[in-house]
Structure formats: C-alpha cells, structure tokens
Amino acid sequence: MYGLYDRQGILRFIDSDKEACIAYAELFELNSTNYCVMDLAENNNKLEGTNLDLNQVENNN
C-alpha cells in the first residue's frame, strides 16, 4: 500500500500501486519536490521519525 503526501503533509491519494500514486501526482501537475510517496505497509513504524521537510499549520480553533 502506497500513500502520496503533499508538501503540507496531507495524504492526498492511497493505492496498492506506487505508479498509480505517481500518475495521480502528474494528473494534478505536482512535481517531485511537492510530494512524497511512501510505502505504508512497510514504513508504519518509521513514519514518526521521517523528516519530510513539511510546514505544519497551527490549529486556529
């Protein structure tokens, strides 16, 4: 299972095929510096320590 995250760290697409995630990014004209594709099945324990250099938005509630 692969997930495509945008620069803000929001999961935008999930699929069992990595190429489908990349095709989704290309459909919306995202270049490779604006997204990250991660193997969710194998990296579940590694996600917490992964630095994606993403901006985090403060909660305004």
Side-chain angles (χ1 to χ4, degrees), residues 12-44:
R12 297 291 181 181
F13 187 76
I14 192 165
D15 196 277
S16 60
D17 181 22
K18 180 179 178 179
E19 297 304 318
C21 290
I22 294 170
Y24 181 86
E26 290 173 355
L27 176 68
F28 290 97
E29 299 178 355
L30 298 173
N31 62 41
S32 62
T33 60
N34 291 325
Y35 69 84
C36 175
V37 176
M38 299 185 81
D39 183 348
L40 300 178
E42 292 182 18
N43 287 332
N44 281 341

Side-chain angles (χ1 to χ4, degrees), residues 4-15:
L4 182 136
Y5 292 84
D6 70 6
R7 185 117 172 106
Q8 286 76 41
I10 298 172
L11 178 62
R12 297 291 181 181
F13 187 76
I14 192 165
D15 196 277

